[in-house]
Structure formats: C-alpha cells, structure tokens
Amino acid sequence: MTMDLPRNLPSRRAVVAALTAAPLAAPLAAAAAAAPDDIPGATILLWPDAAPGAPATLPTPKIEQRSKDAGFNDRWVTGVARPGLTVRRPARANGAAVLLIPGGGYGFIAWDNEGEEQARWLNKLGVTCFILSYRLPAEGWGNRALVPLQDAQRAVRVIRARAGEFGVDPKQVAVLGFSAGGHLAGSLATRHAEPVYAPVDTADEQPARPDLAGLIYPVVTLAETFTHEGSRDNLLGTPSSDALRRDASVERRVTADTPPVFLVHASDDNTVPIENSLVLYRALLAAKRPAELHAFDQGGHGFGTRLPDSAPGSVWPKLFAAYAARHGVLPAAV
C-alpha cells in the first residue's frame, strides 16, 4: 500500500505514468542577475551561448503550481530554454557540494519536492546545493537522447570550475537524483567521461565524474520490461530501437570508474518498479563497485522527504549522509 503524502498534495503517479505532458519550466536569468521571483536565489547559466542542439524557436518557460496550500510550494517546471544551476548555500559551508537533479519523467521537473526541499536538509548539514534546471529532451532539442546528460556533465564541470567562489571542495561533489532525475544522475555516474558535447570554455577541462551518486527511486533501465515507459519515450522518442534503449540503460554502463552509488526504493512503487534499483545494484556488485541499497516495503513513488516519521523510508536522508561521510564526500561529523 502506498503511503499517503502530507498536505493532501495531488498524486504525481498518474501523471508521471503517462508523461506525454506538455512542458512546464522555469526561466533562468543571466548569471549576474537576480533569478525569477518564483524560483529565487543565485542562478548560473550552464552554457555561455545557446545550449547544444538548440531549436530555431526555444521552448517557452512555464511553471505549474500543484499545491493548493498558499504557504506550500509544489511546482512543476518545463520549457527550460537556458539550463542552469540554482544555488542554495548553507549558513556555514563545510566544503561539500551536492548537485540535485529532480525527476519528472523527462517531461517536467519536480522543482520543490526533489529540489528545494532536498536542499533545505542538506544546507542544515553545511552542504552547498546546486539544483539543476536541465533541458527536457522532447522540447525540440537536437540529439535529444544526450541533452540531459550534456547539461549534467556541464553542471559538474561548472561547479568545480567555480568551487572557490562557493567555498566548495572540488573533490567533494556528489550528485543526488530522483526518479528520472535518478536516471540522469546514474547516467552521469556511469558516462561522465563520454564526450557528449564539444568543449566551450576552460570549465570543460574539469572532470565530470561525481565523487558519489545517490539515486532515489530511480529509473535505471530503458531496455527491460520494468522500465518506466514515459521516461524512456520522452528521452529517446518513439519509436526507439532496442540498441538505443540498451545504450541508455544505466545498469549496462557501469565501469571500473563508476563512483560509489547509494540507492533507495520502495517495494510498493507502482510507477518505477523496485527492479530498477535491484538490477543496478547487481551490476555494481558484479563490477566490484561500492554500492549500498535500501529497500523499504512502503513509500510508493515520488516521496522525496515527505514521508511521515512513522514510515521506515523517512530515514533515507540520514542513511545517505552517513554513506557519503564514509566515502569522504560529507564530513564525518554529519
């Protein structure tokens, strides 16, 4: 049985399952300018000029407020014309950084649930957070299957290139992705060295390999029967070949250079089956890569940090922090 989320928020499951939804995303201001009022905070554009594969007409930025509580945000964003990073800084930075990649089936970005709300608890640990506003592949971009990975690779490089500005240690950069954002984080962890775009400036001299990857109820495979079809079709288009589906499946891309991976999933997830995490965990073990899997009997999909304290899965942030500390990405004191 799926756990009920607090505040009577609309279920994301039915929408994500289809995910042919129209775009919904936040505009990004120039690096020196203030970000939009709806998504406040420092914003860094990833690309100095147009992003790779830009269409003649860029997507129109949109924000959809899903919450019916005036004091609580639950925004879905699409139309990302200028991908970037929204920075959330702690009161006292400890040098650690986390790139946050919200999900949304590659059809929208669950900005608050899997971005802002994650930054809040990480900020309390002294972690500097960078929420990734990545391009959605079905919005007219060329070479659509690589578009999100281009943005994710570039994001890690930009974070490292500007580490001094944000008090970040370039050797303590983790990625934390959710649902389809988990697929993107997993793709980054396994394909960080793959040349998916032409270098544009000196930031691209930095490595794109995250020091650790956290994947929360992730989409992993695009080739198996238990894939999430909406994410697959939004990323690859329809129809897509078996070869393309295999190539984009995270479990098939694990190498000896894959960083430590932390996995969380609920066995009652009827949107992205737990088999996604299981197949990746087995691939990591087979490759003798560091990996930790937490499987909870209840939680459903898209829970973020919204599970009640009585739900066993609510402890996953503490488990992630402990795992990252053991691998030297977060300070041991957390």
Side-chain angles (χ1 to χ4, degrees):
M1 180 178 68
T2 303
M3 299 294 295
D4 291 332
L5 298 182
R7 300 180 181 268
N8 296 318
L9 292 172
S11 172
R12 174 174 150 195
R13 176 172 299 165
V15 181
V16 178
L19 276 181
T20 53
L24 315 160
L28 293 174
D37 292 338
D38 290 279
I39 300 179
T43 300
I44 302 170
L45 292 179
L46 292 182
W47 307 97
D49 298 309
T57 301
L58 291 174
T60 300
K62 296 180 182 177
I63 302 173
E64 180 180 343
Q65 177 63 267
R66 305 289 296 181
S67 173
K68 300 188 184 303
D69 181 344
F72 180 76
N73 281 321
D74 191 35
R75 293 162 292 184
W76 287 2
V77 299
T78 58
V80 180
R82 306 186 74 189
L85 296 168
T86 296
V87 185
R88 293 289 179 256
R89 305 181 74 166
R92 295 183 179 180
N94 58 26
V98 171
L99 173 65
L100 291 167
I101 308 183
Y106 287 123
F108 64 91
I109 296 174
W111 187 263
D112 292 291
N113 182 28
E114 295 162 353
E116 298 284 5
E117 293 172 25
Q118 308 306 319
R120 288 180 197 131
W121 69 265
L122 285 162
N123 281 170
K124 291 178 181 178
L125 301 181
V127 178
T128 303
C129 294
F130 300 82
I131 307 173
L132 179 61
S133 182
Y134 55 95
R135 289 169 292 154
L136 301 170
E139 293 185 342
W141 302 93
N143 206 4
R144 65 187 288 166
L146 293 179
V147 161
L149 183 56
Q150 291 170 345
D151 290 346
Q153 284 190 2
R154 176 72 179 169
V156 174
R157 290 172 174 139
V158 168
I159 290 169
R160 287 195 166 113
R162 299 180 64 171
E165 176 183 343
F166 294 103
V168 167
D169 184 340
K171 296 182 180 179
Q172 289 181 275
V173 179
V175 61
L176 186 59
F178 302 77
S179 193
H183 179 270
L184 181 50
S187 297
L188 177 65
T190 55
R191 302 171 64 184
H192 52 83
E194 184 177 333
V196 296
Y197 66 89
V200 296
D201 56 27
T202 56
D204 287 320
E205 298 172 5
Q206 298 288 334
R209 179 185 185 272
D211 297 299
L212 182 141
L215 313 183
I216 314 303
Y217 41 85
V219 178
V220 169
T221 189
L222 300 187
E224 303 295 338
T225 57
F226 48 84
T227 187
H228 181 256
E229 294 180 358
S231 298
R232 180 197 66 200
D233 294 346
N234 277 329
L235 181 64
L236 305 181
T238 55
S240 56
S241 68
D242 290 342
L244 189 59
R245 294 177 181 188
R246 290 193 296 270
D247 190 58
S249 293
V250 177
E251 79 278 10
R252 295 172 178 264
R253 306 306 293 268
V254 175
T255 71
D257 199 32
T258 298
V261 174
F262 175 89
L263 292 156
V264 168
H265 226 117
S267 58
D268 66 346
D269 189 333
N270 294 322
T271 301
V272 178
I274 194 172
E275 283 81 4
N276 281 267
S277 284
L278 297 177
V279 72
L280 179 55
Y281 186 60
R282 286 193 293 267
L284 291 161
L285 294 182
K288 295 181 169 53
R289 301 309 302 147
E292 182 166 301
L293 167 66
H294 295 275
F296 298 100
D297 66 336
Q298 294 181 336
H301 188 74
F303 48 79
T305 53
R306 296 175 178 177
L307 290 172
D309 291 343
S310 58
S314 65
V315 302
W316 77 260
K318 293 181 180 179
L319 297 172
F320 171 78
Y323 184 75
R326 288 198 298 275
H327 286 277
V329 179
L330 293 185
V334 303

